[in-house]
């Protein structure tokens, strides 16, 4: 009794089917959904991916390269013996790695907006889709579905979001960058004290997206770069107002204003005079301090020389000799 056995393998994009035969077989054929692929050595299929691997009394094997979903289905090995035909079949299921086919574009939104991120993917088995905040990492902001909803988004939700599509075959990932615009906030200004003729610098820092534009004012009058020898330098979130030679007229109240398309903010900074008396000591103060320091260092045995202004230290023995010398001189 003739027994037919079909063995098939699917390795990445290569599929092959083998049909075990016997000595009684006179004719053989491979069919796919009633379409003849091979009849003996004769190829009936016009698909260039289909080829004959082996045909002998023991084995009849065909190969299909670059397998895709259209190749899924039932394959039949049919043999003709001297008595009657026999057939056996196998159903091929083609698995496909996931591929993200529809993803939200990079977004720029204003703070307080409602945001929806969409991710669609194909694959077989059907892939599981999920969202997470990738950078900065935030495990609390995630979704196990094709859609990620972020209501009333804040500036702290800006960053890179990752969509993952996974099945038993592989994983596909893609990212979306989310930018959140918000109005400027300005750090409190620090008042600056500068002596006449010295260099003075006022600094202003603003947090904003998009980056803020800076303006400087003296009272209600705007200051421009190069005005009265003043330099204004902006670099990202910082602005710097520099006086190269401070004069009396420069002292006063200055206002830094940071503006973008969503709003503005400001802070005030005072440039005030720092007098030399605060930083320097008079010569008399210096001499008095020196004298006091000598007393502390030299102790009760020190005698001040009025001519030289220096201190001489006498030991008890030296003092005794001085007293004796004064008594002798009296006689």
């Amino acid at each position: 009794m003739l027994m037919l056995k079909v063995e098939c393998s699917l390795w990445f994009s290569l599929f092959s089917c083998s049909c075990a035969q016997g000595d009684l077989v006179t004719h053989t054929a491979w069919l796919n959904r009633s379409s003849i692929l091979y009849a003996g050595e004769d190829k009936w299929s016009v698909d260039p991916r289909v080829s004959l691997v082996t045909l002998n009394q023991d084995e009849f094997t065909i190969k299909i390269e670059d397998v895709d979903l259209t190749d899924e289905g039932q394959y039949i090995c049919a043999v003709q013996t001297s008595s009657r035909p026999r057939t056996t079949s196998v159903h091929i299921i083609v698995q496909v790695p996931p591929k993200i086919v529809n993803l939200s574009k990079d977004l720029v939104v204003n703070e307080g907006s409602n945001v929806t991120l969409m991710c669609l993917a194909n694959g077989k088995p059907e892939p599981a889709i999920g969202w997470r905040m990738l950078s900065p990492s935030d495990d609390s902001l995630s979704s196990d579905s094709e859609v990620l909803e972020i209501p009333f988004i804040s500036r702290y939700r800006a960053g890179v979001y990752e969509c993952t599509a996974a099945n038993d075959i592989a994983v596909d990932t893609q990212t979306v960058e989310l930018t959140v615009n918000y109005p400027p906030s300005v750090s409190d200004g620090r008042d600056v004290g500068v002596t006449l003729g010295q260099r003075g610098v006022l600094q202003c820092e603003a947090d904003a997206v998009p980056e803020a534009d800076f303006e400087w004012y003296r009272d209600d009058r705007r200051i421009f770069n190069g005005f009265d020898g003043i330099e204004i330098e902006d670099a990202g979130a910082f602005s710097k107002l520099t006086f190269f030679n401070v004069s009396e007229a420069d002292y006063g109240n200055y206002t830094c204003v940071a503006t973008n398309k969503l709003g503005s903010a400001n802070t005030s900074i005072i440039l005030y005079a720092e007098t030399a008396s605060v930083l320097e000591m008079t010569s008399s103060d210096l001499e008095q301090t020196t004298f006091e320091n000598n007393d502390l260092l030299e102790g009760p045995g020190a005698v001040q020389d009025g001519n030289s202004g220096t201190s001489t230290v006498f030991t008890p023995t030296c003092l005794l000799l001085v007293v004796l010398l004064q008594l002798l001189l009296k006689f």
Side-chain angles (χ1 to χ4, degrees):
M1 181 177 180
L2 178 64
M3 298 294 293
L4 295 181
K5 182 181 179 182
V6 175
E7 293 182 353
C8 296
S9 62
L10 181 60
W11 180 253
F12 291 100
S13 60
L14 180 65
F15 160 64
S16 66
C17 259
S18 175
C19 181
Q21 304 186 100
D23 295 339
L24 301 177
V25 174
T26 58
H27 297 84
T28 59
W30 268 108
L31 300 88
N32 178 17
R33 296 185 295 273
S34 301
S35 298
I36 300 176
L37 300 177
Y38 265 91
E41 295 183 354
D42 297 330
K43 181 179 180 180
W44 287 43
S45 173
V46 296
D47 192 336
R49 300 174 302 130
V50 180
S51 61
L52 179 64
V53 178
T54 305
L55 176 58
N56 55 43
Q57 291 183 346
D58 299 322
E59 182 182 345
F60 183 25
T61 302
I62 60 170
K63 177 177 67 177
I64 303 176
E65 298 179 352
D66 298 325
V67 173
D68 58 32
L69 282 174
T70 61
D71 298 313
E72 185 170 287
Q74 188 178 40
Y75 288 77
I76 300 172
C77 175
V79 299
Q80 178 68 50
T81 67
S82 57
S83 58
R84 59 188 179 89
R86 296 180 180 274
T87 63
T88 188
S89 65
V90 61
H91 190 88
I92 301 300
I93 298 174
V94 178
Q95 293 184 322
V96 180
K99 182 176 179 58
I100 296 173
V101 294
N102 191 353
L103 184 73
S104 296
K105 303 296 183 182
D106 291 346
L107 292 177
V108 179
V109 298
N110 293 338
E111 192 170 37
S113 301
N114 296 326
V115 175
T116 300
L117 299 180
M118 176 71 71
C119 180
L120 301 177
N122 291 334
K124 192 173 183 180
E126 185 176 347
I129 299 177
W131 280 99
R132 71 185 181 107
M133 190 174 183
L134 182 65
S135 176
S137 179
D138 187 350
D139 294 335
S140 66
L141 193 60
S142 61
S143 171
D144 293 329
S145 66
E146 298 172 343
V147 178
L148 175 63
E149 299 277 0
I150 311 175
F152 307 107
I153 191 167
S154 72
R155 65 193 68 182
Y156 308 108
R157 297 299 194 186
V160 177
Y161 290 77
E162 180 184 67
C163 172
T164 301
N167 65 11
D168 297 337
I169 311 304
V171 177
D172 188 21
T173 61
Q174 291 191 33
T175 59
V176 175
E177 184 169 3
L178 185 56
T179 302
V180 180
N181 292 332
Y182 54 90
S185 58
V186 179
S187 302
D188 291 338
R190 297 181 60 182
D191 297 342
V192 177
V194 182
T195 58
L196 285 173
Q198 298 300 308
R199 183 173 178 268
V201 178
L202 307 183
Q203 293 188 347
C204 182
E205 180 182 1
D207 179 27
V209 176
E211 286 186 346
D213 295 320
F214 292 93
E215 295 178 358
W216 285 91
Y217 292 85
R218 168 70 184 275
D219 298 325
D220 294 331
R221 182 166 56 100
R222 183 176 177 183
I223 302 171
F224 294 93
N225 194 28
F227 178 80
D228 288 345
I230 298 174
E231 180 184 83
I232 299 175
E233 183 180 359
D234 297 338
F238 295 89
S239 183
K240 184 169 64 175
L241 184 70
T242 303
F243 304 84
F244 293 97
N245 185 8
V246 173
S247 66
E248 286 283 357
D250 293 326
Y251 295 128
N253 184 62
Y254 292 82
T255 301
C256 170
V257 180
T259 306
N260 69 7
K261 63 182 182 180
L262 297 180
S264 64
N266 65 79
T267 187
S268 294
I269 305 173
I270 296 176
L271 181 68
Y272 63 88
E274 193 170 65
T275 60
S277 60
V278 175
L279 303 175
E280 299 177 359
M281 299 176 64
T282 63
S283 59
S284 59
D285 291 336
L286 184 60
E287 291 174 359
Q288 180 64 27
T289 302
T290 303
F291 177 76
E292 292 172 352
N293 289 339
N294 286 336
D295 286 347
L296 291 172
L297 294 172
E298 296 165 359
V303 177
Q304 182 72 26
D305 187 338
N307 293 324
S308 64
T310 61
S311 298
T312 304
V313 179
F314 291 91
T315 64
T317 303
C318 292
L319 288 174
L320 180 59
L321 291 175
V322 170
V323 171
L324 290 173
L325 181 59
Q326 290 177 345
L327 290 174
L328 289 173
L329 289 175
K330 287 184 178 181
F331 297 101

